[in-house]
Amino acid sequence: MATIGSFDGFQPVSLKQEEEDQPSENDHLSTKEGNSGKDPGSRRISRQQSITEATLYPNPYRQPYVSRKYFATRPGAIETAVEDLKGHIAQTSGETVQGFWLLTEIDHWNNEKEKILLLTDKTLLICKYDFIMLSCVQVQQVPLNAICRICLGKFAFPGMSLDKRPGDGLRIFWGSTEGWSLLSRWNPWSTEVPYATFTEHPMKQTSEKFLEICKLSEFTSKLVPAIENAHKNSAGSGSGKELVVLTQPILIETYTGLMSFIGNRNKLGYSLARGSIGF
């Protein structure tokens, strides 16, 4: 009886030799690269160029979906809001609106609030508008001849503050902070704050239209001459006020900032689509 080792049908083969005879995965890759006529360096450069192009030129189809979360950017929303407010101003005071802007107000507790600002010859109107229900919720009227100081600069916080924000802002004063009571200072819902602080709306880059009405510099360039004209017209009354424009850090005195941290991260101060809630 023949053994397996002496049977002619079976030939012992070394595993090492078999591995050497079979082409490796790297050989396949090198063969493909050789056939394509490209070296690894050129492929690496082309990949880096594609990444750079994706960074410089982001997907244009994603931006509209992001902006639609904000009801203010939806077609016709800002136009409807401005027409409503213009009609209200014409009925109540008879003044004509010279310009409007969509900005973010930052209160003394560092909470963000979406606001529409309208400028007439005599008044600055700070409006809280509900873009979901298309209705005005609150209007604060500030006489231009009462504005005494404007500060432009970067935001500053106490050293121990937990919720700091970058960027530039604008603060408008129409009264002195010396007579501001401690109770009002520590009340997050106080309406006795003698100033208002603004920064640019997050949807400034959505379109050319929003770039114009959400830009802080555009608002400042119209506000300062309007205030100066209002002071000149009221000079005969003996007020003797002059507008002071300063470039300095804008201090927001929040030390813990837990409430603003939660609210600002979730954009609670904006008319925003927040998705469906279900079980």
Side-chain angles (χ1 to χ4, degrees):
M1 183 176 181
T3 61
I4 293 179
S6 62
F7 183 60
D8 294 337
F10 289 92
Q11 298 294 331
V13 179
S14 173
L15 293 177
K16 183 176 181 181
Q17 182 181 357
E18 185 178 337
E19 291 177 355
E20 290 176 354
D21 294 339
Q22 291 182 353
S24 63
E25 184 179 355
N26 294 331
D27 294 335
H28 284 291
L29 293 176
S30 61
T31 304
K32 291 181 180 179
E33 290 177 358
N35 295 334
S36 62
K38 296 182 180 179
D39 60 344
S42 62
R43 296 182 65 184
R44 191 180 303 111
I45 292 173
S46 62
R47 184 172 182 271
Q48 291 177 351
Q49 289 177 347
S50 63
I51 294 174
T52 304
E53 291 177 357
T55 304
L56 295 177
Y57 308 102
N59 185 358
Y61 299 101
R62 184 177 183 273
Q63 184 66 19
Y65 293 101
V66 176
S67 63
R68 286 173 192 171
K69 293 177 62 178
Y70 292 80
F71 280 86
T73 63
R74 297 191 174 187
I78 189 68
E79 290 81 3
T80 301
V82 172
E83 289 301 320
D84 289 348
L85 294 171
K86 283 182 178 180
H88 173 74
I89 294 170
Q91 291 179 359
T92 55
S93 63
E95 299 180 29
T96 303
V97 175
Q98 305 296 331
F100 67 91
W101 294 267
L102 179 66
L103 299 175
T104 297
E105 182 181 10
I106 302 171
D107 66 10
H108 59 296
W109 274 55
N110 197 30
N111 296 303
E112 296 180 357
K113 300 176 182 178
E114 189 176 47
K115 293 295 179 71
I116 297 178
L117 280 73
L118 297 100
L119 189 64
T120 69
D121 293 333
K122 299 179 181 179
T123 311
L124 171 66
L125 295 100
I126 305 172
C127 308
K128 181 181 178 181
Y129 194 86
D130 185 353
F131 286 98
I132 300 176
M133 300 300 296
L134 295 177
S135 62
C136 182
V137 178
Q138 182 184 18
V139 177
Q140 183 180 9
Q141 300 184 14
V142 181
L144 294 180
N145 57 11
I147 298 175
C148 55
R149 182 160 45 111
I150 290 179
C151 291
L152 300 165
K154 296 186 177 298
F155 294 108
F157 292 82
M160 297 298 292
S161 180
L162 300 178
D163 187 24
K164 300 179 181 180
R165 69 170 58 248
D168 300 331
L170 165 72
R171 178 166 288 176
I172 305 170
F173 291 87
W174 55 81
S176 175
T177 57
E178 296 179 356
W180 191 18
S181 66
L182 183 63
L183 180 61
S184 298
R185 188 185 300 270
W186 288 99
N187 180 8
W189 299 282
S190 175
T191 58
E192 300 177 1
V193 183
Y195 61 80
T197 308
F198 300 97
T199 190
E200 293 179 338
H201 195 277
M203 288 292 102
K204 180 185 72 172
Q205 302 293 343
T206 303
S207 63
E208 291 293 334
K209 177 182 69 175
F210 280 93
L211 181 62
E212 182 179 354
I213 65 174
C214 297
K215 205 170 183 179
L216 201 61
S217 59
E218 294 289 335
F219 171 63
T220 307
S221 64
K222 300 293 183 182
L223 178 64
V224 173
I227 296 173
E228 292 175 344
N229 291 333
H231 283 303
K232 289 179 182 179
N233 295 333
S234 63
S237 60
S239 60
K241 288 184 179 181
E242 291 185 2
L243 177 66
V244 178
V245 180
L246 302 174
T247 301
Q248 63 183 25
I250 299 176
L251 179 63
I252 300 179
E253 294 183 274
T254 55
Y255 293 91
T256 57
L258 180 60
M259 185 174 74
S260 63
F261 178 84
I262 297 173
N264 295 341
R265 295 305 181 279
N266 293 280
K267 303 295 182 183
L268 298 182
Y270 299 88
S271 296
L272 198 68
R274 308 189 185 276
S276 59
I277 300 176
F279 299 94

